[in-house]
Amino acid sequence: MPRCLSRPYPWLWRLFAAVAALWLALLTPAAAQSLESALSPGVLTQSHAKWQDDCASCHVRFDRAAQDRLCADCHKPIGQDLRQKTGFHGRQKPQACRSCHTDHKGREARIVQLDTKAFDHRETDWVLRQAHAQVECAKCHLPGKRWAEAPQDCQACHRKDDVHKGSLGTKCADCHTENNWKEARFDHATTSFALKGKHADVACADCHPKAKYAGVPTTCVGCHKADDKHKGRYGEKCESCHGEKSWKTISFNHDSETRYPLRGKHRAVRCDSCHTGALYREKTATDCLSCHRKDDKHQGSLGTECAACHQENDWKQTGRFDHDRARFPLLGKHADAKCEACHKPGPKGTPVYRDAPRSCIGCHRQDDKHAGNVGEACAACHGERSWKIPRFDHDVARFTLRGAHAAAKVRCADCHQDLKHYRDTPRDCIGCHRKDDKHEGQLGTVCESCHNDRRWKDAPYDHKLARFALLGAHVKVECGACHKTLRYRDAPRDCLGCHRADDRHKGAQGPACESCHNARHWKLAQFDHTRQTRYPLTGKHQPLTCEACHRAPAPAGRKTAPLGDSCQSCHRGDDVHDGGFGLRCETCHQTSGWRELLARRPTSPSPSPASGVPR
């Protein structure tokens, strides 16, 4: 045993017993809490008094860094500043809360030690500038409220200084400065009415009487009604003529600011000579006749476009009329014609200009050799250079000239019998080529089905369009082999019409040659008796010729003569039984040979009438 634990040192035993008891006490939470309370370094401040016996509200056992998190959870505004890095606490370098705030110093202790004289306000969200830097803290930070709750808007502190009574809103900094409240500076250009010209020298009170700023008129007439010499007749847009440099100096460019530039004598005319009514309520007329109606010698017959002939330098000074700007430009020989040739004098002796005819027929009716047959569109053929030299594009007509029709040797008179019947000329082929129709009208009047406008003779024809398409050997056959004459429709369409001499059946198999023969070659005959009839050929029947059975000629409307399908139909002369066994020869005989009988199953012999013994 160590010497220190021997009997001569009883106090060590007592110390050991106390430490053991303390260790056992820490094993239970309740005991540990009681122990922590017993070991508290001091009494909490009055604001934390309710947590005096609840150490876990601020402390986490064996984790000193958790204390800062618990502080931020309880003091939520400061916690928010720390997270967003705003306010005084958010701008500080990261450090433990206990670095500045301590507790357990008694109920009356102050855990916030703030030196207001040494405090740097730049570390907050509100930097003190100019006159604000001289203000005492208590002026903005009221007793009983947190330092961070001090207002940051001007109205909160300067409401009593607001001579506008809130009419200009709460943005006092737009005019007032932090140097001196009464020293106001305002940029009028930020408003909807910038001060320019002489407006910049006007005192504020001239436009804002009794410090009234909201609702002040911004129109010229709002301040200059007494200066309006027009008595409101020209409206309220004074700025259209008057400028900000001087009210009496009128700056209005009629040429660029209106759609009616002033030229010639118009520039010397007074404004009220034309603007007789209310300027903006009554639209000022811009046509010549509105002012010069009494000067119109044409009495309105030429309309209102006086400027087409008259000039602005002098009404009576008329220039040469540019007919190209009219609805009828003068071209060719029209340019040499005199005005009176088309513009005849009216009832009052004044030449009629607007009512002059613009159509060719209006002046050239007596020159119309067609007697109106081709209508009144004379310009389609005749030109302004010469009436007698026609020019006509036949492509715009209902009959376009192509191929041989466009040849130089074809004259107009070849189709048009005279000048009075151009429109009545036939447009179908037969109308001109009836004498060339070698088919004697049999093929109708649609000649273009075979013939074309390049050549009339040797016209190609697609036989597939006919009722008899050429197939197989028919393709190489000359036309004259089937069409004996030009009356093409008389050509036969049935096989016997051309192949009667080739019919070795002599009509016994009927006229339907295509049942066996085909267009590739006449001798390539093929007929499936099994599939195409009700009587299949078997045995000795197969090598027989058609005439062996079909001997009689086919009646009209039938492919073959009627022929029975029983053996007796052909083999009556071969029946040695003379019909004693009936007509069903196939029960014994077979098609492989008439004399080859079918094997029959033996039957029981009939008893003899005399003896009753089988034969």
Side-chain angles (χ1 to χ4, degrees):
M1 176 182 297
R3 185 178 178 181
C4 61
L5 298 180
S6 60
R7 287 293 180 179
Y9 302 97
W11 58 275
L12 289 176
W13 285 100
R14 289 193 294 273
L15 179 59
F16 178 77
V19 172
L22 179 61
W23 179 259
L24 293 174
L26 292 175
L27 295 178
T28 60
Q33 181 65 36
S34 300
L35 181 60
E36 290 174 353
S37 301
L39 298 179
S40 174
V43 180
L44 296 177
T45 184
Q46 183 63 38
S47 59
H48 292 162
K50 60 182 178 180
W51 292 293
Q52 180 68 46
D53 297 330
D54 188 6
C55 300
S57 297
C58 300
H59 302 281
V60 176
R61 192 178 310 142
F62 307 122
D63 187 2
R64 299 188 65 184
Q67 182 177 354
D68 295 338
R69 175 175 54 78
L70 295 175
C71 293
D73 291 344
C74 190
H75 299 278
K76 296 185 182 302
I78 296 177
Q80 184 177 359
D81 287 345
L82 292 173
R83 290 188 298 272
Q84 299 179 356
K85 298 186 182 302
T86 58
F88 175 71
H89 291 88
R91 296 175 186 272
Q92 299 297 312
K93 294 181 179 179
Q95 54 184 326
C97 301
R98 62 180 174 275
S99 300
C100 300
H101 306 285
T102 61
D103 209 332
H104 297 285
K105 300 293 185 181
R107 289 287 189 265
E108 303 300 327
R110 296 181 59 191
I111 63 174
V112 178
Q113 301 295 331
L114 181 63
D115 187 356
T116 57
K117 294 183 178 181
F119 182 73
D120 188 358
H121 224 283
R122 290 176 299 179
E123 297 182 358
T124 67
D125 293 338
W126 179 264
V127 181
L128 298 181
R129 299 185 180 90
Q130 298 179 355
H132 283 154
Q134 308 301 324
V135 178
E136 297 180 1
C137 301
K139 292 291 186 179
C140 299
H141 301 283
L142 303 180
K145 291 190 176 183
R146 296 173 56 250
W147 293 92
E149 294 179 357
Q152 297 181 8
D153 60 302
C154 303
Q155 284 278 13
C157 296
H158 296 279
R159 191 177 301 276
K160 63 182 182 300
D161 301 323
D162 183 13
V163 296
H164 314 296
K165 308 301 180 184
S167 62
L168 298 184
T170 59
K171 295 182 179 181
C172 309
D174 290 346
C175 300
H176 299 274
T177 65
E178 295 176 299
N179 185 36
N180 187 355
W181 178 264
K182 295 183 178 181
E183 180 183 337
R185 53 157 179 77
F186 180 68
D187 186 5
H188 220 284
T190 59
T191 68
S192 58
F193 192 89
L195 299 181
K196 299 177 182 177
K198 286 201 171 184
H199 285 156
D201 302 330
V202 177
C204 301
D206 291 347
C207 297
H208 304 282
K210 297 181 181 180
K212 181 183 178 183
Y213 293 90
V216 175
T218 58
T219 61
C220 301
V221 75
C223 294
H224 296 279
K225 186 179 287 290
D227 302 323
D228 183 15
K229 304 300 183 182
H230 314 294
K231 306 301 179 184
R233 187 158 56 93
Y234 290 169
E236 298 182 353
K237 294 183 178 181
C238 309
E239 65 275 10
S240 299
C241 300
H242 301 276
E244 295 161 325
K245 294 182 178 180
S246 175
W247 178 262
K248 295 182 179 181
T249 301
I250 299 176
S251 58
F252 181 74
N253 191 340
H254 211 284
D255 297 345
S256 61
E257 299 185 29
T258 69
R259 290 178 293 178
Y260 193 88
L262 300 180
R263 300 186 180 95
K265 285 194 173 183
H266 285 159
R267 191 171 293 279
V269 177
R270 291 167 49 103
C271 301
D272 52 5
S273 298
C274 299
H275 302 286
T276 57
L279 184 61
Y280 293 100
R281 291 194 300 271
E282 299 177 11
K283 187 176 181 180
T284 304
T286 58
D287 59 305
C288 301
L289 276 182
S290 297
C291 294
H292 297 280
R293 191 174 297 278
K294 62 182 183 300
D295 302 322
D296 182 17
K297 303 302 182 182
H298 312 292
Q299 300 176 1
S301 64
L302 296 185
T304 60
E305 297 181 4
C306 308
C309 300
H310 299 274
Q311 302 178 6
E312 294 166 317
N313 292 332
D314 190 356
W315 178 264
K316 295 182 179 181
Q317 180 182 353
T318 57
R320 176 176 174 80
F321 178 69
D322 186 4
H323 221 287
D324 292 342
R325 299 177 55 190
R327 290 176 291 181
F328 191 89
L330 299 181
L331 304 174
K333 287 197 172 183
H334 286 158
D336 301 330
K338 295 183 178 181
C339 301
E340 296 79 9
C342 299
H343 302 285
K344 306 296 183 182
K348 297 183 180 181
T350 303
V352 177
Y353 289 93
R354 189 171 294 277
D355 296 337
R358 295 193 300 276
S359 62
C360 302
I361 202 70
C363 294
H364 296 278
R365 190 176 296 277
Q366 73 276 8
D367 301 323
D368 182 17
K369 304 301 182 182
H370 312 292
N373 178 259
V374 294
E376 298 183 355
C378 308
C381 300
H382 301 275
E384 296 95 345
R385 294 183 179 181
S386 175
W387 178 264
K388 295 182 179 181
I389 301 178
R391 51 168 177 78
F392 179 67
D393 184 5
H394 222 285
D395 291 342
V396 302
R398 290 177 291 181
F399 189 89
T400 305
L401 299 182
R402 297 188 181 94
H405 288 155
K409 63 180 182 180
V410 179
R411 300 175 306 166
C412 301
D414 292 341
C415 298
H416 305 285
Q417 62 181 18
D418 55 45
L419 295 177
K420 296 182 181 180
H421 296 87
Y422 274 8
R423 194 176 293 274
D424 301 334
T425 302
R427 295 191 301 276
D428 57 337
C429 301
I430 203 68
C432 292
H433 296 279
R434 190 175 299 276
K435 63 182 181 300
D436 302 322
D437 182 17
K438 304 302 181 181
H439 313 293
E440 301 177 5
Q442 189 192 58
L443 299 183
T445 59
V446 188
C447 307
E448 61 270 17
S449 299
C450 301
H451 302 273
N452 54 55
D453 48 15
R454 291 192 299 274
R455 59 179 183 175
W456 180 262
K457 298 180 178 180
D458 300 329
Y461 179 68
D462 187 2
H463 221 284
K464 290 186 292 185
L465 303 176
R467 291 175 292 180
F468 189 88
L470 299 181
L471 303 173
H474 287 159
V475 176
K476 300 180 180 180
V477 176
E478 295 291 335
C479 300
C482 298
H483 302 284
K484 303 303 181 182
T485 67
L486 293 178
R487 295 175 58 87
Y488 284 170
R489 289 188 185 274
D490 294 342
R493 294 195 301 274
D494 59 328
C495 299
L496 282 181
C498 293
H499 296 279
R500 189 174 298 277
D502 301 322
D503 182 17
R504 64 184 181 85
H505 311 293
K506 307 302 180 182
Q509 306 303 324
C513 307
E514 65 274 9
S515 300
C516 300
H517 302 274
N518 55 61
R520 288 178 294 173
H521 197 280
W522 180 259
K523 294 183 178 181
L524 294 177
Q526 182 180 4
F527 184 78
D528 191 348
H529 211 283
T530 302
R531 298 178 57 188
Q532 295 180 243
T533 69
R534 294 180 297 175
Y535 191 85
L537 300 180
T538 60
K540 295 278 186 169
H541 289 160
Q542 290 183 347
L544 296 178
T545 61
C546 301
E547 294 81 2
C549 297
H550 303 281
R551 300 185 182 92
R558 300 290 296 273
K559 292 183 178 181
T560 59
L563 187 64
D565 56 359
S566 65
C567 299
Q568 288 286 336
S569 300
C570 294
H571 295 280
R572 185 177 298 276
D574 302 322
D575 183 11
V576 297
H577 312 293
D578 261 343
F581 290 158
L583 301 179
R584 297 187 61 189
C585 307
E586 66 272 11
T587 56
C588 295
H589 300 274
Q590 53 183 338
T591 58
S592 59
W594 181 260
R595 298 180 181 279
E596 296 179 8
L597 302 179
L598 293 173
R600 302 190 63 185
R601 187 178 302 174
T603 58
S604 299
S606 300
S608 173
S611 59
V613 178
R615 299 183 195 180

